[in-house]
């Protein structure tokens, strides 16, 4: 079976098991973008605490956040960890957002998707995963987000070997799945949940919803595969790639 069909099988199996996860839990696109930076190297519970502190101070909007001095911002986001580093990264992002786009995130993420992506990648501290999270979850742009969970699950199921680049893994998904932001959103949410609960560093294969998917590699157990799935188009889900395992 080719890799594309196996990716579809995995997505369908996870969707049957988890349903609609309704991630990323942000009230506004700007909150999602801030969360994408704060979730670097921490778990989502810590990000939620930091976001809550920003909301409590009434500063979770572009110009208000940009106007804070570094020390005040660092103290507010302290629960997210690496708070001084993340202060610099937030300020770099806000400088472009407010300085070049008048605080209009929709305009910053709009237009040619490659140019929007390169614009984000040009900001200090924003790498491919963070940039793509902003584009997909805050901007509704059709880009697939790759994270450590994605690599781990694909490797354990024998879909990849070696160390493919971020771009190679992203093209695999985007070549095999319909070019649709909602589908990319839902699929990545399912990957994250599977990685957090089952495909951990010490895998819980016996309980994993993918235990019956054929073609598994080192971390899983091979069983009979489910019937050929069809990917259903649904509305946007919301997903976080915050990790704690």
């Amino acid at each position: 079976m080719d890799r594309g069909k196996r990716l579809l099988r995995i997505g369908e199996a996870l969707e049957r098991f988890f349903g609609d996860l309704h991630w990323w839990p942000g009230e506004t696109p700007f909150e999602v973008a801030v969360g994408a930076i704060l979730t670097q190297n921490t778990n989502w519970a810590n990000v939620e605490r930091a976001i809550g502190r920003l909301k409590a101070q009434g500063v979770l909007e572009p110009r208000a956040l940009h106007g804070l001095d570094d020390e005040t911002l660092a103290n507010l986001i302290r629960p997210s960890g690496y708070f001084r580093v993340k202060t610099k990264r937030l300020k770099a992002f806000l400088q472009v957002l407010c300085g070049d786009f008048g605080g209009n995130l929709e305009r910053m993420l709009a237009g040619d998707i490659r140019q929007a992506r390169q614009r984000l990648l040009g900001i200090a501290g924003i790498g491919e995963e963070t940039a793509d999270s902003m584009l997909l979850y805050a901007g509704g742009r059709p880009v697939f987000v790759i994270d450590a969970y994605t690599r781990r699950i694909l490797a354990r199921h024998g879909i990849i070997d070696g160390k493919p680049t971020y771009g190679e893994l992203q093209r695999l998904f985007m070549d095999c799945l319909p070019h649709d932001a909602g589908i990319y959103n839902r699929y990545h949410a399912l990957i994250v949940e599977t990685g957090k609960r089952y495909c951990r560093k010490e895998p819980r294969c016996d309980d994993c919803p993918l235990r019956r998917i054929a073609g598994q590699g080192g971390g899983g157990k091979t069983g009979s595969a489910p019937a050929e799935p069809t990917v259903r188009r649904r509305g946007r889900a919301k997903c976080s790639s915050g990790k704690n395992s």
Side-chain angles (χ1 to χ4, degrees):
M1 183 186 302
D2 65 37
R3 294 195 298 177
K5 289 183 179 179
R6 289 163 68 188
L7 285 180
L8 292 174
R9 286 182 181 275
I10 285 173
E12 183 69 10
L14 294 179
E15 187 175 41
R16 284 197 301 268
F17 186 82
F18 290 113
D20 192 338
L21 295 173
H22 297 290
W23 276 95
W24 186 305
E27 295 180 357
T28 66
F30 180 67
E31 181 179 331
V32 171
V34 170
I37 294 174
L38 295 183
T39 198
Q40 296 172 352
N41 301 305
T42 193
N43 63 61
W44 189 250
N46 292 334
V47 176
E48 286 184 317
R49 292 172 58 205
I51 292 286
R53 288 159 67 100
L54 295 174
K55 288 181 176 180
Q57 292 298 312
V59 294
L60 193 56
E61 64 89 19
R63 293 192 182 280
L65 208 58
H66 187 226
L68 294 179
D69 63 81
D70 288 4
E71 193 64 27
T72 299
L73 179 55
N75 285 332
L76 286 172
I77 66 170
R78 182 182 291 267
S80 68
Y82 301 97
F83 53 93
R84 297 197 186 279
V85 172
K86 290 177 182 179
T87 293
K88 292 180 180 178
R89 293 176 180 179
L90 277 172
K91 282 300 188 77
F93 168 69
L94 292 164
Q95 179 60 43
V96 175
L97 175 60
C98 294
D100 297 346
F101 296 93
N104 189 323
L105 181 64
E106 181 178 359
R107 189 156 64 90
M108 184 181 183
L109 301 179
D112 182 88
I113 196 166
R114 289 171 296 184
Q115 292 180 4
R117 189 174 192 265
Q118 286 304 311
R119 183 183 301 127
L120 291 171
L121 291 174
I123 299 172
I126 294 185
E128 291 182 295
E129 183 182 341
T130 302
D132 290 340
S133 294
M134 289 186 184
L135 287 167
L136 177 62
Y137 300 123
R141 309 303 304 274
V143 292
F144 198 92
V145 179
I146 301 298
D147 61 10
Y149 291 138
T150 310
R151 291 181 179 275
R152 184 186 298 168
I153 290 170
L154 295 192
R156 286 176 172 171
H157 287 263
I159 294 176
I160 61 170
D161 56 20
K163 295 182 179 180
T165 66
Y166 184 102
E168 288 170 341
L169 286 177
Q170 186 177 64
R171 284 192 295 273
L172 172 62
F173 280 93
M174 294 179 69
D175 287 347
C176 294
L177 300 176
H179 196 63
D180 181 272
I183 290 174
Y184 295 165
N185 194 318
R186 290 177 63 82
Y187 201 126
H188 183 246
L190 294 167
I191 285 175
V192 171
E193 195 66 18
T194 305
K196 287 166 62 176
R197 293 196 195 185
Y198 303 106
C199 203
R200 304 166 68 93
K201 292 179 181 178
E202 293 295 328
R204 297 174 54 204
C205 298
D206 288 342
D207 299 322
C208 180
L210 299 180
R211 65 189 179 277
R212 293 176 60 81
I213 296 292
Q216 291 183 334
K221 299 179 181 180
T222 302
S224 58
E228 184 70 25
T230 56
V231 174
R232 297 188 293 276
R233 292 179 179 269
R234 297 185 181 177
R236 285 183 64 197
K238 298 178 181 178
C239 175
S240 162
S241 56
K243 304 169 182 65
N244 58 8
S245 62

